[in-house]
Amino acid sequence: MKKITFALVTGILLSSFVLTGCSSAAPGVDDGAAPAADVATSEAATATNNTVTYEVTSDAATAGNISYLTFNDGSSGQEQATEAPLPFTNEVTLEDGGLFSSSIFSLVAQASAEATTISCKITVNGEVIAAQTSSGA
């Protein structure tokens, strides 16, 4: 059987930006906008944890190489596994940074010589945000 050298690359950029402007209301006029301090306090109170799950499956028992990168709110981490047993699953818990926070998730997997197919999937809180399958002989 020919060695499969397909690599799956899935990169996801999740970012949310909230743009705020300056109020042009005259002094003493209530324009309905919340003071900046109230917005920051409200945002901090609603910060939640998110669970990111990296998954790799194949028709072979192991993957040749798996690496994944997590970038969240200015911090990053990367891990790699060689000849990893399949199915492979790894969960990372991230705190939602609120306003102007962004996240990047990347998963790369290389099939072993015995494989004819390999699949990668990234989920956040159970929702699939990226999935890819490659096959060949």
Side-chain angles (χ1 to χ4, degrees), residues 21-119:
C22 298
S23 174
S24 61
V29 176
D30 181 13
D31 64 355
D38 290 347
V39 171
T41 302
S42 173
E43 193 65 36
T46 60
T48 59
N49 288 337
N50 296 299
T51 301
V52 178
T53 305
Y54 298 97
E55 297 177 59
V56 177
T57 57
S58 177
D59 58 353
T62 61
N65 188 37
I66 298 172
S67 60
Y68 56 95
L69 166 76
T70 305
F71 175 85
N72 185 60
D73 202 24
S75 299
S76 66
Q78 182 173 1
E79 293 192 37
Q80 183 172 347
T82 303
E83 296 302 321
L86 296 177
F88 172 86
T89 301
N90 189 49
E91 289 187 354
V92 178
T93 302
L94 307 172
E95 184 176 317
D96 184 358
L99 290 175
F100 301 106
S101 69
S102 64
S103 298
I104 299 171
F105 310 111
S106 175
L107 175 60
V108 178
Q110 183 178 15
S112 65
E114 302 81 34
T116 60
T117 185
I118 189 165
S119 298

Side-chain angles (χ1 to χ4, degrees), residues 9-20:
V9 179
T10 305
I12 301 301
L13 173 62
L14 300 175
S15 59
S16 59
F17 297 96
V18 177
L19 302 176
T20 58

